[in-house]
Amino acid sequence: MEDNVKIKHCKKCLMPNTRLGSTVFDDDGVCQACLNYEKRESINWKERKKELENLCDKYRREDGYYDCIVPVSGGKDSTFLVYMMKVKMGMNPLLVTIGCPFTQTKAGAKNLMNLKDTFGCDHIQFDLSIDLFRKVTRIAFEKFGEPLRFLESAIFTMPTKIAIKLGIPLMVYGESDYEYGSAEQKDCSAMRHILKLFKNEDINFWLQEGISKKELNAITLPPEEDLKRIEPIFMGYFVPWSSTRNFEIAKRYGFIDLAHEWKREGYIEDFEQIDYIGYIVHHWLKYPKFGFQRISDIASRYVREGIIDLPTAKKSIIEGDHKLDQRAMEDFVHCLGYTVKEFWDIVERFWNRDLFEKVDDAWRKKFNYEE
Ligand SMILES: [Zn+2]
């Protein structure tokens, strides 16, 4: 390994310090996500559950109107959230989905339907105009290598606006970045996260890029006095967050995985991010930029949860973390109007020269996974 390679991997879980939010490693080379995970033991989860019950009691309504909004994609975490709010807490949630123009998987379509069917919940789906989606996704891909920047803002903004308009204060999101290495989660509020997404510069950025004011509704934050009327929370504060536990519970309530439909390259499971085909290109782009993508994400969680050991994680990461699924790439370029050649020419800009070098016209990583 070259001395100047600017990447370090956590001794416990292999998460690299290039992951946003987990750059802080302790003196023993352990990442913040692992340190946060260890703190779970000292948390009084019974007390947290009581806090959740109290919060639900505060917003529970006797008149039959919706008492909370659950933004859902249809994924296993969404299914778990609806289970928690409707089955465990006895609430009457309204589900809100922000759609995506990439091709939906069969499992994704079924799972979204399942939420309305199995749990008997009403549901609103909001879709961006395809023309707008194409414009903003192309811009964010070409400028930042982060194609879904606009859509991911809309995923937080639109449900917030709907909550305010419909007068449903409680909003329930899944886990916060704390699970993946951001510092301290001192309460359950998701408001800080939402506010962070809406920096004025972002709106100015889109205006400068030729997106009109009329097209920015989905990511424009409501006025501050309106925001005071809602209470967005992270469920991960109240229950120890586990994607495998969520998957187990979701399956009992009709959630299906991708195993019988599509074996994805660069993945070690069939139940995360399975709703839309082209969507996962967004995640893959972390690889040229930061030297890791989904296998590292998932393997590090599994190691923390004791599902796999470190050598197994390492083997999977080395074998597959660099792989971009071809079908996902095809869906991505088709939807956005690129040729495959154009796609790779754009990706070319984002290879992090500190982490990768070109050998015989192909990018090779300069780092390995030893300390
Ligand atoms: Zn770690």
Side-chain angles (χ1 to χ4, degrees), residues 9-15 25 29-35 300 304:
H9 294 90
C10 171
K11 275 194 172 146
K12 277 196 159 167
C13 76
L14 288 178
M15 183 47 68
F25 280 38
V30 176
C31 77
Q32 190 64 44
C34 282
L35 297 173
S300 65
R304 262 174 243 138

Side-chain angles (χ1 to χ4, degrees), residues 11 15 17 41 44 48 62 71 102 143 154 159 187-188 202 207 216 234 251 255 259 264 293 301 368:
K11 275 194 172 146
M15 183 47 68
N17 61 348
E41 280 182 26
N44 185 338
R48 293 264 175 111
E62 297 303 326
F102 292 132
K143 290 253 167 176
D187 55 42
C188 65
D202 274 352
L207 290 169
L216 291 172
F234 284 121
K251 271 194 290 189
F255 174 86
R264 298 175 295 179
Q293 60 118 14
R301 287 181 213 174
N368 59 33

